[in-house]
Amino acid sequence: MKKIFLMIGLASLTLTFTSCERDITSLNEDPKHPTEVPSGVLFASAEQALLDQLLTPNVNRNITRFFTQQWSETTYIDETRYDMVARPIPTNHYNRMMASSSATVNSPGVLSALRDARRFLDAEDVSPAQKKNNIAMIELVNVYAWANLVDTFGDIPYFGALKATAENPGNAEIPYDDAKTIYLDLIKRIDAALAMMDTSVRGYDKDLIYKGDMTKWKKMANSLKFRMAVTLSDVEPALAKTYAEAAYSGGLFTDKSDNFGLQTFPSGLLSNPVYQDVIQSGRNDFLPSDVLVNYMNSTSDPRRAVWFTLYEGNYVGGKYAKTNTFGLFSHFTDAITNENAQGFLLDYTEIMFLKTEAAARNFNVGDTAANLYKMAIQASVTEYGMDITAADAIVAATPYDATNWKKSVGFQSWVAMFNKGFQAWNFARRLDFPVFVNPSNSRVEAVPIRMKYSQDEYLVNSKYVNAAAAKIGGDKVSTKLFWDKY
């Protein structure tokens, strides 16, 4: 058998790529004499793999920017038509996040690296306080990754998944667990992580995001809990209110410096994933979509100048799900495509829109929905270096509508979450704004509100994946997740 370790190169770490999709090489080891990789290296590898998978626009792995119709394609348009079979996108996303749920399929994943980091940490000589901080950090990245899988697929293998090791490979068939049950368990795990943190002691020094600063990790924990609480609002309103208010009291992100991600990507192999697929690839495959650009044109949104270039004096988006000539449309600016550009998985702008939504739902989060709406738009413009007064024009053009707050928050969060595929997708599904039109040449029955299960699962875990598909109402892109009530 083989053990798989994700070894990432940043500072003292070493990175090895094995394909054009930047898979990370597995290391062969004798399971009878395993080498224990430092848990901090494995933790950093999981962070990098998470950032890479969720931020990449690679059409083999992450097409969420098309689920919210913010990007268009030029020559090859299968993905904007939601063809996820020719390129097994759900399989690739699932495996890179989780590794296979099967004990007999070896594939690098965020969660498998975290599992091994937790195993190896127990044998390391660190102080009790630092060990608890390290455990908390491992748990929070675990929770983020598991929540993403639930938000993507619905029911998934959870309680019985990833228990296999090289020494104990276990069974290939793993039951699927109820998505809501998983969500509630994940929130408990956040609370447990918060309880063990000591902000006077640092965590992992190889931490790519916060460098072991537990004050930052505490804010991240509360902000992640807040996101998940608001996500539950339509199906568990009382519980969502309790969780959201507790997270708010615990301390959320207060500015961009708190963001969970990288303020600046390094140059080289670990550069901005958008740069790697839009610029470094040497291809002209992507454009801003006319769906987004036309809406922003209708409100004279000043963020256009930061995100898009002009074409003949105008901002012109490529037609969605149609072939487009690259040179005849606006392109992305360096703010999006530079190799050192920022990339966030959970950020202050998102939290401010979530607070707006929470206030509109009568949660106690410190201010009115109308005031928070303006502050959320201010967070969006300042995130990209614009003067805060730029928000005034946006608020004037799209004022907060208390009678239809889902539309107000839905449209503006959609714009603000530009280039943040999964975040934008969550807002749009929960708030039902904007309403996206399924292209006439679409390969599926609707604009996706979930991904179908991994094709590999039907090969190695067929009994349980078929049962899961039947339980949720069919393995279709139009099947609603448990929290997507309306």
Side-chain angles (χ1 to χ4, degrees):
M1 299 294 293
K2 298 178 180 178
K3 276 191 175 182
I4 294 177
F5 298 110
L6 305 182
M7 302 293 288
I8 306 298
L10 188 62
S12 62
L13 307 182
T14 301
L15 179 70
T16 306
F17 294 111
T18 61
S19 76
C20 62
E21 293 182 25
R22 302 161 62 221
D23 291 343
I24 300 168
T25 302
S26 60
L27 302 182
N28 297 334
E29 295 194 353
D30 177 358
K32 296 181 180 179
H33 303 90
T35 298
E36 292 193 0
V37 176
S39 65
V41 173
L42 288 167
F43 176 76
S45 79
E47 287 183 305
Q48 195 279 330
L50 184 68
L51 286 161
D52 183 65
Q53 176 56 22
L54 297 191
L55 297 179
T56 183
N58 187 302
V59 291
N60 292 285
R61 298 198 274 131
N62 179 357
I63 62 168
T64 50
R65 292 169 177 86
F66 302 142
F67 293 167
T68 54
Q69 299 186 356
Q70 294 174 319
W71 285 36
S72 292
E73 293 179 287
T74 54
T75 305
Y76 305 103
I77 62 171
D78 285 343
E79 291 73 36
T80 48
R81 295 188 295 170
Y82 307 127
D83 180 351
M84 289 176 271
V85 176
R87 304 176 190 271
I89 297 161
T91 299
N92 292 337
H93 178 65
Y94 186 77
N95 286 348
R96 282 170 174 78
M97 292 295 291
M98 186 177 190
S100 175
S101 66
S102 165
T104 60
V105 175
N106 287 330
S107 57
V110 174
L111 290 164
S112 61
L114 293 169
R115 173 200 60 193
D116 289 336
R118 181 64 187 88
R119 290 172 60 208
F120 295 159
L121 175 60
D122 284 339
E124 293 175 354
D125 185 18
V126 296
S127 71
Q130 185 180 4
K131 182 166 289 190
K132 286 183 179 181
N133 283 347
N134 293 347
I135 293 170
M137 292 164 64
I138 291 171
E139 274 293 271
L140 291 172
V141 179
N142 261 309
V143 169
Y144 190 104
W146 283 116
N148 174 270
L149 287 173
V150 172
D151 292 342
T152 301
F153 298 104
D155 292 5
I156 55 171
Y158 173 70
F159 291 105
L162 295 174
K163 295 185 181 298
T165 64
E167 299 90 345
N168 299 290
N171 196 309
E173 295 186 333
I174 311 293
Y176 278 56
D177 296 298
D178 177 72
K180 181 178 175 181
T181 301
I182 298 170
Y183 234 66
L184 297 179
D185 187 69
L186 292 174
I187 292 175
K188 290 179 181 178
R189 290 173 69 170
I190 294 175
D191 287 340
L194 280 164
M196 68 176 64
M197 286 185 191
D198 183 343
T199 56
S200 69
V201 177
R202 299 191 76 84
Y204 283 122
D205 61 0
K206 288 184 172 59
D207 169 19
L208 305 182
I209 296 174
Y210 296 131
K211 311 303 180 188
D213 183 341
M214 299 311 295
T215 300
K216 296 288 189 184
W217 277 104
K218 184 176 181 180
K219 287 185 179 182
M220 182 272 186
N222 282 309
S223 297
L224 180 57
K225 181 179 177 179
F226 192 77
R227 175 203 272 182
M228 295 178 69
V230 174
T231 301
L232 290 170
S233 295
D234 286 332
V235 290
E236 289 286 352
L239 197 58
K241 185 175 189 292
T242 297
Y243 285 149
E245 290 177 354
Y248 168 74
S249 296
L252 306 175
F253 293 159
T254 56
D255 58 41
K256 180 180 175 180
S257 68
D258 293 330
N259 290 356
F260 181 62
L262 293 184
Q263 305 285 338
T264 303
F265 270 86
S267 299
L269 291 175
L270 299 181
S271 59
N272 173 16
V274 176
Y275 164 78
Q276 297 198 27
D277 277 289
V278 175
I279 303 298
Q280 193 177 46
S281 68
R283 299 169 60 101
N284 296 324
D285 291 328
F286 302 117
L287 297 167
S289 165
D290 62 342
V291 179
L292 176 65
V293 174
N294 289 351
Y295 174 76
M296 295 180 73
N297 284 342
S298 74
T299 62
S300 300
D301 196 308
R303 287 169 289 193
R304 293 171 299 170
V306 179
W307 296 341
F308 314 130
T309 63
L310 289 166
Y311 174 70
E312 295 187 347
N314 298 300
Y315 297 104
V316 185
K319 295 178 180 179
Y320 189 78
K322 304 293 184 181
T323 56
N324 295 284
T325 300
F326 185 76
L328 300 182
F329 299 93
S330 296
H331 303 145
F332 303 119
T333 66
D334 280 354
I336 304 301
T337 63
N338 187 274
E339 66 175 324
N340 307 125
Q342 65 192 28
F344 305 122
L345 304 180
L346 178 63
D347 56 70
Y348 176 61
T349 301
E350 179 183 354
I351 290 301
M352 292 308 299
F353 276 103
L354 289 170
K355 286 177 70 175
T356 305
E357 180 179 342
R361 296 179 184 274
N362 296 313
F363 297 1
N364 297 312
V365 291
D367 212 331
T368 66
N371 287 342
L372 289 165
Y373 176 77
K374 180 177 181 179
M375 293 166 65
I377 295 172
Q378 289 173 338
S380 176
V381 300
T382 57
E383 178 184 334
Y384 288 91
M386 301 176 68
D387 190 275
I388 195 169
T389 58
D392 294 342
I394 301 171
V395 175
T398 59
Y400 179 75
D401 182 358
T403 62
N404 195 359
W405 64 265
K406 286 190 174 182
K407 183 176 182 180
S408 294
V409 179
F411 269 92
Q412 278 305 313
S413 61
W414 173 61
V415 176
M417 296 300 109
F418 169 68
N419 199 39
K420 304 171 185 176
F422 279 98
Q423 293 95 309
W425 194 31
N426 278 359
F427 274 104
R429 289 182 290 175
R430 187 174 61 252
L431 298 177
D432 299 306
F433 286 102
V435 176
F436 303 114
V437 176
N438 197 28
S440 59
N441 56 1
S442 177
R443 298 297 180 89
V444 292
E445 72 276 6
V447 177
I449 54 175
R450 69 177 286 273
M451 281 193 200
K452 292 183 179 181
Y453 287 128
S454 163
Q455 295 171 20
D456 286 354
E457 284 290 282
Y458 284 97
L459 297 175
V460 299
N461 200 16
S462 59
K463 172 184 174 181
Y464 290 114
V465 71
N466 278 297
K471 173 181 174 292
I472 65 173
D475 188 10
K476 299 177 291 186
V477 301
S478 57
T479 300
K480 291 197 171 201
L481 301 181
F482 80 96
W483 51 256
D484 188 6
K485 186 175 179 179
Y486 300 112

